[in-house]
């Protein structure tokens, strides 16, 4: 991270955006060159812009069946996969369809842990494996109503009704970017326990202390066994930057909420992983691929790596 860009409204600082350096490009078909046969890996994946193409209406986005089948084949190799998304848990489950995996939705406000087939049939277990952060619902409703009222005189906005946050999309009219920021900033000034998060054609108001980095470390902790896991996180958006920092173990850049939660101490031997940005923009990730198509190629390369490793004698795997 090199410097800070500060955004303000009426002379008052409301949002600080870090500027990043250019990550190193990974040729997707050569992804195995960055991996080690003796190391066990866990995949953490964003959804929109990483596995699913952006659409004008977020509800029209989908993950291709070929990608879902590829992820299933990676899971069949014993690799743990989790999804970390700004989508609500309900929407994320609909998009993932037949994939059984842990999900951190709404940037980590909603968490559903992976269940076995037996557990999926048990409603009590299902409830225990799903958790949600404590949110002031009264304030959230006030925030939503304020956003709705502020948007009445504009066309091209979409207000996403999430269970634990409020998002204002301007995908239909990107020229409204500054207007969207101004609306959300003015609303936020009345609520000290909430903060503003940027995304691709969206501004979102979420409770403080919520980010994808904390969500990833929480999920990683549930995956840990006697074998150390190396996390790989692939994402495309500004909200994914906290995830890159977390898996790469750059402790000086970690949010205070991560440091004080105990997650760093619990995962300290496993967070020297890989952050991979989708897109060539500057990022806190160490690596990048150009687009969603290259994400698919990279995942195919990762599957091939896992398959080849499974045929190696145990003593040879340990020797690598």
């Amino acid at each position: 991270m090199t410097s800070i860009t500060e955004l303000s409204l009426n002379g008052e600082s409301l949002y600080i955006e870090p500027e990043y350096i250019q990550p190193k490009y990974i040729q997707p078909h050569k992804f195995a060159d960055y991996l080690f046969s003796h190391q066990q890996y866990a995949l953490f994946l964003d959804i929109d812009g990483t596995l699913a193409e952006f659409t004008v209406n977020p509800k029209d986005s989908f993950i291709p069946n070929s990608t879902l089948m590829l992820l299933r084949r990676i899971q069949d190799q014993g690799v743990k996969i989790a999804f970390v998304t700004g989508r609500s848990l309900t929407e994320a489950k609909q998009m993932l369809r037949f994939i059984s995996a842990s999900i951190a939705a709404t940037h980590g406000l909603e968490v559903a842990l992976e269940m076995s087939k037996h557990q999926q049939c048990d409603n009590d277990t299902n409830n225990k494996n799903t958790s949600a952060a404590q949110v002031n619902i009264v304030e959230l409703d006030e925030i939503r109503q304020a956003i709705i009222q502020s948007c009445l005189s504009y066309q091209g906005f979409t207000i996403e009704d999430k269970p634990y946050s409020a998002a204002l999309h301007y995908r239909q009219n990107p020229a409204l970017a500054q207007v969207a920021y101004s609306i959300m900033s003015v609303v936020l000034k009345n609520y000290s326990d909430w903060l503003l998060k940027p995304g691709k054609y969206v501004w979102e108001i979420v409770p403080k202390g919520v980010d994808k980095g904390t969500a990833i470390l929480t999920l990683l902790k549930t995956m840990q066994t006697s074998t150390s896991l190396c996390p790989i996180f692939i994402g495309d958006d500004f909200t994914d930057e906290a995830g890159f920092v977390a898996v790469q173990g750059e402790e000086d850049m970690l949010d205070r909420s991560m440091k004080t939660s105990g997650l760093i101490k619990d995962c300290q031997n496993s967070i020297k992983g890989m952050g991979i940005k989708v897109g060539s923009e500057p990022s806190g990730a160490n690596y990048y691929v150009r687009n969603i198509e290259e994400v698919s190629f990279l995942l195919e390369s990762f599957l091939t790596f896992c398959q080849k490793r499974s045929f190696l004698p145990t003593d040879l795997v340990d020797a690598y």
Side-chain angles (χ1 to χ4, degrees):
M1 189 179 297
T2 58
S3 61
I4 296 293
T5 298
E6 185 173 321
L7 301 181
S8 62
L9 184 69
N10 297 329
E12 182 177 350
S13 298
L14 293 172
Y15 172 72
I16 296 178
E17 179 182 3
E19 293 183 356
Y20 298 101
I21 61 175
Q22 185 68 42
K24 179 180 179 180
Y25 177 65
I26 285 184
Q27 296 184 48
H29 66 284
K30 293 185 177 181
F31 186 43
D33 293 347
Y34 296 81
L35 307 175
F36 299 92
S37 295
H38 70 275
Q39 177 67 63
Q40 297 299 317
Y41 294 94
L43 279 180
F44 295 88
L45 302 169
D46 176 39
I47 294 179
D48 290 278
T50 299
L51 302 176
E53 295 283 0
F54 274 97
T55 57
V56 173
N57 187 337
K59 294 187 180 298
D60 293 334
S61 295
F62 66 94
I63 303 172
N65 281 333
S66 58
T67 301
L68 294 174
M69 292 303 298
L70 175 58
L71 294 173
R72 280 280 294 269
R73 293 174 66 194
I74 292 174
Q75 286 181 314
D76 289 342
Q77 295 297 314
V79 177
K80 292 287 187 181
I81 298 179
F83 300 90
V84 188
T85 176
R87 295 242 180 196
S88 69
L89 183 58
T90 299
E91 284 188 326
K93 286 183 174 181
Q94 290 172 347
M95 294 185 76
L96 292 167
R97 300 193 290 283
F98 51 81
I99 294 288
S100 176
S102 295
I103 303 171
T106 319
H107 309 291
L109 282 166
E110 301 176 276
V111 175
L113 300 180
E114 181 180 5
M115 296 182 294
S116 66
K117 291 183 179 180
H118 174 72
Q119 288 176 319
Q120 292 175 26
C121 299
D122 186 338
N123 287 332
D124 289 338
T125 303
N126 195 355
N127 292 334
K128 291 177 181 177
N129 281 23
T130 303
S131 62
Q134 295 296 316
V135 173
N136 188 324
I137 300 300
V138 174
E139 287 192 351
L140 178 57
D141 185 60
E142 292 174 356
I143 289 170
R144 285 180 181 145
Q145 293 305 315
I147 295 171
I148 291 171
Q149 290 300 315
S150 299
C151 292
L152 290 178
S153 58
Y154 299 95
Q155 292 185 346
F157 282 134
T158 300
I159 301 172
E160 187 176 0
D161 188 16
K162 293 185 179 183
Y164 303 104
S165 65
L168 179 60
H169 296 265
Y170 52 93
R171 294 187 191 189
Q172 297 181 47
N173 187 357
L176 290 174
Q178 182 59 43
V179 176
Y181 171 69
S182 298
I183 288 173
M184 298 296 270
S185 297
V186 170
V187 171
L188 181 66
K189 290 174 68 175
N190 297 319
Y191 299 94
S192 58
D193 293 331
W194 301 74
L195 56 80
L196 191 59
K197 282 186 178 292
K200 286 189 175 177
Y201 306 109
V202 63
W203 286 96
E204 185 169 0
I205 294 178
V206 302
K208 286 184 176 179
V210 174
D211 61 63
K212 289 187 178 182
T214 304
I216 288 173
L217 294 181
T218 298
L219 293 178
L220 182 60
K221 184 179 177 182
T222 68
M223 296 177 177
Q224 293 291 2
T225 62
S226 57
T227 302
S228 177
L229 289 175
C230 175
I232 300 170
F233 176 47
I234 308 176
D236 74 298
D237 208 344
F238 186 87
T239 56
D240 298 315
E241 293 296 335
F244 300 144
V245 170
V247 300
Q248 290 166 180
E250 294 158 347
E251 189 168 351
D252 59 322
M253 295 167 61
L254 292 173
D255 184 85
R256 181 176 295 179
S257 63
M258 294 189 212
K259 295 180 181 179
T260 57
S261 66
L263 292 171
I264 296 299
K265 180 178 180 181
D266 293 335
C267 301
Q268 61 183 355
N269 294 324
S270 305
I271 61 173
K272 298 295 183 181
M274 299 177 66
I276 303 175
K277 171 74 181 289
V278 183
S280 57
E281 304 88 355
S283 170
N286 287 336
Y287 304 97
Y288 82 95
V289 292
R290 295 189 182 97
N291 49 44
I292 291 178
E293 183 179 22
E294 289 198 346
V295 172
S296 296
F297 293 151
L298 184 143
L299 291 174
E300 289 174 357
S301 178
F302 182 68
L303 173 62
T304 300
F305 163 81
C306 294
Q307 291 171 330
K308 289 181 177 179
R309 182 174 63 176
S310 67
F311 289 106
L312 288 175
T314 303
D315 55 342
L316 288 182
V317 171
D318 293 338
Y320 272 85

